[in-house]
Amino acid sequence: MPNQINPQPEIERTVARILSETASKAGAKIAAWKKPTDDLRRLVSHDYVRSLRKNLPYHELRALVAAFSGLLPGFNREVVGIMPTDQLAEWAVALKLHLKAAPNDSIEGMALRGFYVTPKEGLLKRPLIYVNTAHHPLAVSTTFCHEVGHHIGSQILGRNEETAVHFFIDSDYASHLHEPAELAADVMVSIAGYPEPLARKIFATAWEWGLVAKAKNLTEAALAEVQRHLMRAYGFDLVKHIPENQLAHHLSGMIHFAKLRWALLAEYDI
Ligand SMILES: [Zn+2]
């Protein structure tokens, strides 16, 4: 498996520079990574419908889903499987993106899942995605999907990108709930993992529905459903596959993407 998919010197230099700047530029997010249970606590009690309503209007969601469906014909009908690195590289070519997939496994390096860089940064001719392959393959695929979400979002929503580099720091999901571009990217991950027919099954039976759409309290039964789904669809077992010091981060991710999917169904019926 090639680690260096895109060995052009300009890409290598840009990735190396951004990696060396991660600690200073994403300092607050890395601080959050060091306290994963704080993030977890915030996510567990948060009403995701409120965040969706505020940060991702329905027409934007439809446009994003349509664009993803163009790329992945089964999107929101079937689970998007784990994509090995060479498949990510093919995607990157189709999307006219630079891709760098390489491990960054130092202690703080593990905080970083990846980043998306707009061409505003440096001398890049195309946007660039970096994914940290030191993480579990499911996490790597998820990161890639999140970064493609940024890319598609900036292309079709015509958002004026304020930041040239979007860092994806593990277990910093609480902050994504207030950042429209991050939330939109996470929504694409959520739909990839929980296509509509499956979401209707999991979230209609396992969660309580009220008159007013809300996505707040996750029951134990619902979490068990989510874990069963991840096992069936990806052969993924949180406790078995994730080292103990990353468990809380991954549990955060699991709860975040599940609650987001539930909120999409509750608020937008998608
Ligand atoms: Zn992001």
Side-chain angles (χ1 to χ4, degrees):
M1 194 80 60
N3 269 340
Q4 303 211 335
I5 286 162
N6 214 331
Q8 294 107 302
E10 187 52 44
I11 308 302
E12 297 297 312
R13 272 198 298 273
T14 304
V15 170
R17 182 173 51 75
I18 295 173
L19 285 176
S20 73
E21 291 169 356
T22 305
S24 59
K25 292 206 169 155
K29 292 184 172 217
I30 291 177
W33 172 76
K34 288 177 180 163
K35 295 185 195 161
T37 47
D38 286 7
D39 188 70
L40 197 52
R41 208 171 302 128
R42 277 195 290 270
L43 300 182
V44 164
S45 59
H46 189 82
D47 177 7
Y48 274 58
V49 164
R50 277 180 55 196
S51 296
L52 264 186
R53 222 178 264 157
K54 200 167 160 210
N55 294 302
L56 185 62
Y58 183 65
H59 69 274
E60 291 192 359
L61 170 68
R62 295 297 314 188
L64 285 169
V65 171
F68 262 75
S69 304
L71 295 165
L72 287 166
F75 191 68
N76 203 24
R77 291 202 307 273
E78 296 152 21
V79 168
V80 176
I82 293 178
M83 292 178 276
T85 321
D86 48 358
Q87 204 179 329
L88 302 185
E90 282 171 27
W91 262 69
V93 170
L95 288 163
K96 299 189 169 59
L97 288 164
H98 295 302
L99 173 71
K100 172 78 178 174
N104 183 21
D105 60 0
S106 65
I107 292 176
E108 290 219 339
M110 287 305 284
L112 182 68
R113 291 277 294 267
F115 50 72
Y116 172 70
V117 187
T118 69
K120 268 188 197 167
E121 178 76 13
L123 300 166
L124 297 177
K125 290 193 182 68
R126 297 171 168 193
L128 163 72
I129 286 176
Y130 164 77
V131 287
N132 184 357
T133 55
H135 287 280
H136 185 277
L138 178 57
V140 174
S141 278
T142 299
T143 305
F144 184 78
C145 187
H146 172 96
E147 309 305 351
V148 170
H150 277 302
H151 178 64
I152 304 283
S154 69
Q155 279 196 326
I156 64 165
L157 302 180
R159 276 205 187 100
N160 251 336
E161 294 281 340
E162 285 162 23
T163 19
V165 184
H166 293 266
F167 291 101
F168 182 175
I169 302 295
D170 218 356
S171 175
D172 177 44
Y173 300 107
S175 78
H176 291 193
L177 294 166
H178 312 288
E179 297 170 26
E182 296 302 336
L183 192 68
D186 282 348
V187 161
M188 296 300 108
V189 171
S190 184
I191 294 175
Y194 303 90
E196 192 176 339
L198 183 99
R200 290 197 183 279
K201 245 196 247 163
I202 296 183
F203 302 111
T205 55
W207 269 282
E208 282 181 28
W209 292 80
L211 283 176
V212 180
K214 239 191 207 179
K216 202 170 172 199
N217 297 315
L218 189 76
T219 64
E220 259 178 57
L223 190 58
E225 262 308 300
V226 164
Q227 282 177 297
R228 266 196 294 278
H229 159 60
L230 295 177
M231 189 61 202
R232 267 196 305 262
Y234 298 105
F236 179 77
D237 181 327
L238 185 70
V239 179
K240 213 189 281 173
H241 294 124
I242 298 300
E244 213 181 324
N245 62 356
Q246 293 168 37
L247 262 183
H249 303 96
H250 284 261
L251 184 60
S252 266
M254 192 186 273
I255 290 175
H256 174 68
F257 292 114
K259 284 188 74 173
L260 198 49
R261 192 61 189 87
W262 176 30
L264 285 165
L265 204 56
E267 177 66 2
Y268 292 141
D269 198 33
I270 191 168

